[in-house]
Amino acid sequence: MSRIIRVPQMETDRLILRMWTKKDAPALFEYAKDPDVGPNAGWKPHANVGESRMIIDQLFRHNMTWAIIEKATGVIVGSIGFEEDKYRPNISSKEMGYSLAKRCWGNGYMTEAAKRLIRYGFEELKLEVLMIRTSETNRRSQRVIEKCGFTYEGTLRRAYRMYDNNLREVRCYSMLREEYENLYLE
């Protein structure tokens, strides 16, 4: 098994981003069981707390994935993280992904968390490129991506196999280091 990756705790005005623990499984299950949340990101709704615990243990804790905590309530409301960019081998590039509890949609939380992670990626990890993909139908995610300043690269047809074996198109976006510097450092 791969080693646990320690991620630094970070904050925004309204959010805390911190490493997942096994004790977070009930909180993950609480939002990940919603049939409107997972399928937008390509995964099936969680069936029980045990499944959420397995996701934390086998996926989140072995990748660069943060729990998103609402400061006002102390409740975990989402996840955000980096994976290897499969499309850019041998380049300092990551792919960003995220999910958010439905009750938090429309509050700007994901844009806030994503902007903090973008800064971390370019300033601390020294990325050359940051990419993100989303489905053709996930308009909320597309809006977050646009608000963060990513550039649309194109759509890959039948590029992602869903948990139910259906194939879907994915919209690909990226941000180059110089674009980050122009948008975020001026």
Side-chain angles (χ1 to χ4, degrees), residues 98-113:
Y98 46 73
S99 65
L100 187 67
K102 187 175 180 179
R103 75 167 182 82
C104 296
W105 292 0
N107 291 326
Y109 283 176
M110 194 49 71
T111 301
E112 192 174 316

Side-chain angles (χ1 to χ4, degrees), residues 133-152:
R133 297 177 295 150
T134 192
S135 74
E136 283 285 310
T137 59
N138 193 343
R139 302 283 183 236
R140 289 182 181 281
S141 182
Q142 291 169 30
R143 188 68 189 121
V144 168
I145 293 165
E146 291 162 2
K147 285 193 263 183
C148 289
F150 285 85
T151 299
Y152 174 67

Side-chain angles (χ1 to χ4, degrees), residues 17 64-68 78-82 96-99 110 113-114 117:
L17 308 178
M64 295 187 79
T65 306
W66 287 258
I68 301 173
S79 66
I80 190 165
F82 291 138
M96 185 167 63
Y98 46 73
S99 65
M110 194 49 71
L117 214 61

Side-chain angles (χ1 to χ4, degrees), residues 86-87 133 155-162 167-172:
K86 299 183 262 310
Y87 301 102
R133 297 177 295 150
T155 298
L156 296 172
R157 299 182 306 157
R158 295 186 185 167
Y160 185 83
R161 187 167 304 279
M162 297 279 289
L167 292 173
R168 76 172 190 195
E169 283 67 39
V170 292
R171 294 177 63 89
C172 299

Side-chain angles (χ1 to χ4, degrees), residues 112-127:
E112 192 174 316
K115 286 182 174 182
R116 181 61 186 95
L117 214 61
I118 289 166
R119 190 170 95 212
Y120 177 77
F122 284 107
E123 293 181 14
E124 302 301 322
L125 300 180
K126 307 297 184 200
L127 297 178

Side-chain angles (χ1 to χ4, degrees), residues 11 19 31 44 62 76 83 94 152 171 179:
E11 292 191 26
M19 188 172 175
Y31 81 84
K44 73 176 186 64
H62 297 280
I76 294 175
E83 297 179 13
K94 295 283 186 192
Y152 174 67
R171 294 177 63 89
E179 292 168 335

